[in-house]
Structure formats: C-alpha cells, structure tokens
C-alpha cells in the first residue's frame, strides 16, 4: 500500500481511530504527527474496546511499528499511564515497536496548571472549551523557543535549568494574576524525571527511521488527531486546537518531504458533531440532536463531554477537501442514521443574502450563516450486519452517492458499526 494520511474532515471525533486500525493491517509503520492527549481514539477489535490518547492506533496490530513525531506534544505522565493500560491488555509496547521523536515537546505540570487557570478565569461566552491538558501552553513554549523536548530527559541538569527558567515567568502569572500558589522547581523536576526511565528507551530520530523504512520498501500511515476545522490556521479561530491538523502537517510533524504523501483519506461522520465552544451551523438543539447523540454514543473519549450534534455539512466538507487535497473519503457511523424518515444535508450557506458553497473567511462569520438544506429519504433497516455495498438499503446508498456528488470526492469506505469488521469497501 502507498503512504497514507488520515485526517478528520469535521471538528474531530469522526472515527479516525477505527480507520487507522483497519488500514494498519496493510501498513508497516503508523505515525502520529500532531496534537497531544487532548485527542482520543476509540478502537474496537473483536468486541474489545481500547481507548488511545497518545499511542498511535496501529499499536493493536502485532508487528507494526508506531512512531510519535516531533509535531506531537507529549505528557510523560499520561504516556506512562497509557503504556501500563496497554500492557495490562497484553499489547506489546516495547521500545522496538513504539518510538518517540527526541524533538517531541513535553507537556509539563505548569502547562496544565496554566491551561486550567486561564480557562477558569474566562467569562461565559469567552471560553475556548480547552480540555485543560496543557496542550496550548506547551505549543506556546515551543514557538517561544523555551520548551522542554523529550531528549532533555537524558540531561537532568539541562532539564532542571529549563524548569527553573520557565517557573520564573509562570509563577508570576500563577500568583499575581490567578491567585495560585507558586510551583516548586524541585516538585516539577521530580514529577517529570519519575517518568524518564519509561520514556527515554523509546526515543529515536523519527525522520531517519522513516527514511530507512522507505529504503526497505515499507509503507507508512500518518495519523492525524483533531479535525481539520480545529486547525490553528484554517479552523474556526479562536475555537481551535493549538496545532496544524491539515494533511500538509504530516510532513512537518514527522520530518519528511511532502512528496511522500501519496493518498489522503478524509474521515467523515455521516452527520456532524462538535465538542466544546465555537460555531456549528447545522447544530440541532432539539429531540433530533438528542437522538443522534444517544444512538451515536456521542461522548468524548478523552473528556467524557457530550458532543453537540447536527446534520451533515457539505460546506465544511468542501473546505476540508480544498485544504487537504483529499483523494477519497471514509464515511463512518452511517448506521446511526437508520430509523429516520427524512435526512437533511446542508448544501450551502446563506450569508448576508449571498449563497456560499464554501465557508466565509471573515472573523466570526460562521456564527452568522444560515444553512441551506436539501432533504433525502431515510431508511428504517438495521444496516450493522451489511457486508457489501449492494446489501445496503437503496436510500442509504443514495445518501452516500449524494455526499460524493456534492463534495466531489469519492467515498471508498463505509462504516456501518464500531467494530473493524463492520466496514464496507467500495
């Protein structure tokens, strides 16, 4: 199989973990290239559920090499906890098959404290909806060139000096602005160094590893975390994550050339969801939205927060296709739409009296659009046991074909249930 990039084309939670897990059977390496443990992937294999937050989803396949790239921010404490969980489930997470770039930045205790303090101080309506896991402040320090990198765990003296320098500034914020107690250099150092023996054996040069893999004829899957419309540049700013989630960042986030990215698969949920704050044009604040949430189990893997639910938004999908160069779509959770008499699709927006096929780019404009819907017939049949395209009800097939027509991107996979076997290839 060629090298593949997996991205979510909505606001996250599209089912990327399942598709990564499914394709990993044919892939040699799986690489995570951005985000942190604010993302969660649920993978169900033979009825057993595994929730992954930092470790690439390919870890559940024996013999696959999983890499965490330099574009990721890694909480060393959370990483060790995830290792323990996977070990208890009998998963091989040895350093020979799970590796971390030495350039990966570490989420420190003061990043998490700052993240939570900021969000708590914001008034209602100003809150970003952060998970409070320190991702944003960690990326801030990375860009400010004062961050701690995974390789620093091999040099305790350097690590302590970096912590001391960081707390000179951070403690002023904690005490003067947020009314908190200052953090101790020793306490932060001890907490992070306690995880070092578990992290350091996994350190590697991801860029070199990938170069060697291609020399040996291996294939690579690049695993994105949050959805495209949470991208720091191209998402619904400021209600976004702190990294670039677009497919192009697979190159920067791993240290490889963009010419290595052969196939770009967009993961699209059959309806739309969003967690946290921010505009959501097709959101359903009614019984239909509640039904989608209940039937789809729409609660965050990492946070447990209920997801906001709404109809499919083709405008958002078209923008994702444009930003990522999508080659094809993997459609997930089609089974959740079973039972509806009518299904709506947002085909365009009305914005200030103009019909728009792509999102308006002005700041805050997405909050002021009105969806233009078309309706298609629903279906009553339970489709979770369907194994082939032809077994799907005619209305379900027509819905998928309409999404293709409206977006201009072919649908190559259709998921009709959470298990990896509940997938139809076209």
């Amino acid at each position: 199989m060629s090298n593949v990039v997996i991205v979510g084309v909505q606001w996250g939670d599209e089912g990327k973990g399942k598709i990564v897990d499914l394709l990993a059977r044919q892939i040699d390496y799986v690489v995570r290239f951005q985000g942190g443990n604010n993302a969660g992937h649920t993978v169900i294999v033979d009825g057993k559920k595994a929730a992954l937050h930092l470790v690439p989803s390919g870890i559940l396949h024996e013999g696959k090499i999983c890499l965490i790239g330099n574009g990721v921010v890694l909480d060393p404490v959370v990483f060790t906890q995830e290792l323990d969980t996977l070990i208890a489930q009998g998963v091989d997470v040895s350093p020979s098959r799970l590796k971390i770039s030495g350039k990966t930045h570490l989420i420190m205790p003061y990043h998490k404290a700052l993240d939570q303090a900021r969000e708590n101080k914001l008034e209602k309506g100003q809150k970003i909806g952060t998970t409070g896991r320190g991702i944003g402040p960690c990326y801030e320090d990375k860009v400010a060139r004062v961050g701690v990198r995974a390789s620093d765990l091999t040099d305790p003296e350097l690590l302590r000096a970096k912590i001391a320098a960081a707390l000179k500034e951070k403690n002023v914020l904690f005490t003067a602005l947020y009314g908190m107690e200052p953090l101790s250099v020793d306490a932060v150092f001890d907490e992070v160094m306690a995880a070092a023996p578990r992290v350091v054996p996994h350190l590697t040069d991801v860029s070199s590893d990938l170069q060697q893999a291609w020399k040996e004829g291996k294939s690579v899957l690049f695993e994105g975390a949050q959805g495209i419309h949470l991208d720091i540049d191209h998402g619904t700013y400021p209600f976004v994550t702190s990294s670039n989630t677009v497919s192009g960042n697979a190159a920067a986030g791993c240290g490889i050339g963009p010419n290595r990215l052969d196939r770009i698969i967009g993961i699209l949920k059959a309806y739309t969801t969003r967690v946290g704050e921010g505009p959501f044009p097709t959101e359903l604040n009614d019984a239909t939205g509640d039904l989608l949430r209940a039937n789809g189990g729409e609660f965050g893997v990492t946070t447990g927060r209920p997801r906001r639910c709404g109809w499919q938004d083709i405008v958002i999908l078209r923008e994702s296709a444009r930003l990522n160069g999508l080659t094809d779509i993997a459609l997930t959770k089609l089974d959740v739409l079973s039972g509806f008499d009518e299904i709506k699709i947002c085909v365009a927006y009305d914005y200030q009296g103009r019909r728009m096929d792509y999102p308006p780019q002005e700041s805050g404009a997405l909050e002021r659009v009105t969806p233009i819907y078309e309706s298609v017939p629903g279906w009553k049949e339970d489709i979770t046991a369907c194994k082939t395209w032809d077994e799907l009800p005619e209305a379900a097939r027509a819905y998928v074909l309409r999404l293709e027509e409206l977006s201009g991107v072919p649908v190559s996979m259709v998921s009709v249930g959470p298990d990896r076997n509940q997938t139809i290839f076209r």
Side-chain angles (χ1 to χ4, degrees):
M1 179 181 280
S2 58
N3 302 316
V4 178
V5 185
I6 297 289
V7 291
V9 295
Q10 296 159 309
W11 281 283
D13 310 308
E14 299 95 347
K16 294 180 291 296
K18 173 185 172 175
I19 303 302
V20 170
D21 172 72
L22 186 67
L23 296 180
R25 293 182 295 183
Q26 308 167 60
I27 292 281
D28 301 301
Y29 284 67
V30 180
V31 191
R32 174 85 180 270
F33 63 86
Q34 53 78 216
N37 61 298
N38 53 341
H41 290 164
T42 299
V43 181
I44 299 177
V45 181
D46 298 328
K48 296 180 180 179
K49 180 184 291 188
L52 302 168
H53 305 278
L54 282 167
V55 177
S57 301
I59 200 71
L60 300 180
H61 289 274
E62 290 185 17
K64 308 300 180 181
I65 306 300
C66 293
L67 305 176
I68 295 176
N70 57 274
V72 173
V73 289
L74 184 138
D75 186 324
V77 175
V78 171
F79 177 72
T80 59
Q81 292 170 345
E82 192 161 329
L83 287 186
D84 289 336
T85 299
L86 290 168
I87 290 168
Q89 295 174 342
V91 178
D92 177 11
V93 291
S94 60
S96 62
R97 68 180 302 246
L98 176 58
K99 305 180 182 185
I100 303 168
S101 170
K103 298 177 181 178
T104 299
H105 278 250
L106 297 183
I107 297 172
M108 306 295 284
Y110 47 80
H111 291 140
K112 290 182 278 189
L114 184 58
D115 202 4
Q116 294 163 14
R118 284 175 174 169
E119 188 77 354
N120 290 338
K121 194 172 181 65
L122 292 174
E123 300 291 335
K124 185 175 176 61
Q126 297 178 319
K127 294 182 183 295
I128 300 299
T130 174
T131 59
R133 284 163 168 76
I135 279 78
C138 183
Y139 276 116
E140 288 175 32
D141 278 3
K142 175 180 177 176
V143 174
R145 296 162 293 183
V146 295
V148 176
R149 304 209 289 187
S151 60
D152 296 338
L153 294 175
T154 65
D155 188 341
E157 192 172 315
L158 173 63
L159 177 62
R160 181 183 287 275
K162 284 191 169 186
I163 292 171
L167 287 181
K168 281 184 180 179
E169 177 186 37
K170 302 292 193 291
N171 276 337
V172 172
L173 291 173
F174 291 145
T175 57
L177 182 59
Y178 298 115
M180 299 166 55
E181 292 296 318
L183 297 185
S184 157
V185 173
D186 288 341
V188 172
F189 176 81
D190 290 344
E191 180 179 335
V192 175
M193 279 304 297
R198 303 288 302 282
V199 176
V200 169
H202 294 270
L203 297 184
T204 190
D205 180 349
V206 165
S207 178
S208 295
D209 286 356
L210 290 174
Q211 182 182 33
Q212 183 60 37
W214 285 316
K215 284 183 179 179
E216 297 172 1
K218 307 294 186 182
S219 55
V220 180
L221 189 152
F222 299 89
E223 176 182 358
Q226 294 85 3
I228 295 307
H229 293 277
L230 295 177
D231 184 278
I232 185 65
D233 288 309
H234 304 290
T236 48
Y237 193 88
F239 304 101
V240 292
T241 194
S242 300
S243 61
N244 286 112
T245 62
V246 292
S247 61
N249 194 35
C254 301
I256 54 98
N259 63 321
R260 291 291 189 178
L261 311 178
D262 301 315
R263 182 182 177 191
I264 300 168
I265 303 175
I267 314 304
L268 175 72
K269 193 178 290 185
Y271 48 99
T272 309
T273 63
R274 180 165 193 166
V275 172
E277 307 300 323
F280 183 178
T282 65
E283 183 173 10
L284 296 169
N285 294 304
D286 57 14
T288 301
D290 293 340
L291 184 60
L292 286 172
R293 184 179 304 108
N295 290 350
E298 296 297 350
F299 299 90
V301 177
T302 296
T303 64
R305 290 185 291 181
R307 295 174 186 144
R308 300 154 64 190
C309 297
W311 294 120
Q312 184 62 258
D313 190 333
I314 295 296
V315 183
I316 290 297
L317 177 56
R318 288 193 194 104
E319 180 78 341
S320 293
R322 177 166 71 178
L323 291 171
N324 293 278
L326 298 181
T327 57
D328 52 313
I329 287 170
L331 185 68
T332 63
K333 289 198 169 184
L334 184 64
D335 53 297
V336 176
L337 295 182
S338 294
F340 286 95
D341 294 319
E342 176 188 65
I343 297 170
K344 292 186 177 182
I345 304 171
C346 172
V347 296
Y349 295 152
D350 180 282
Y351 177 61
Q352 297 180 341
R354 292 179 290 147
R355 181 187 173 102
M356 302 197 69
D357 293 327
Y358 289 86
Q361 301 299 316
E362 296 92 337
S363 180
L366 204 60
E367 297 174 344
R368 302 190 295 273
V369 303
T370 300
I372 298 172
Y373 287 109
E374 71 173 40
S375 296
V376 297
W379 60 91
K380 298 295 185 180
E381 297 92 332
D382 179 356
I383 64 172
T384 55
C386 293
K387 301 294 185 185
T388 67
W389 173 252
D390 290 337
E391 290 179 23
L392 289 172
E394 182 179 353
R397 296 198 305 270
Y399 178 70
V400 175
L401 294 174
R402 186 59 177 150
L403 298 185
E404 282 188 331
E405 182 180 12
L406 289 166
S407 68
V409 184
V411 175
S412 59
M413 289 171 267
V414 178
S415 174
V416 294
D419 195 272
R420 66 158 66 134
N421 295 320
Q422 292 177 291
T423 309
I424 295 169
F425 292 88
R426 295 182 63 212

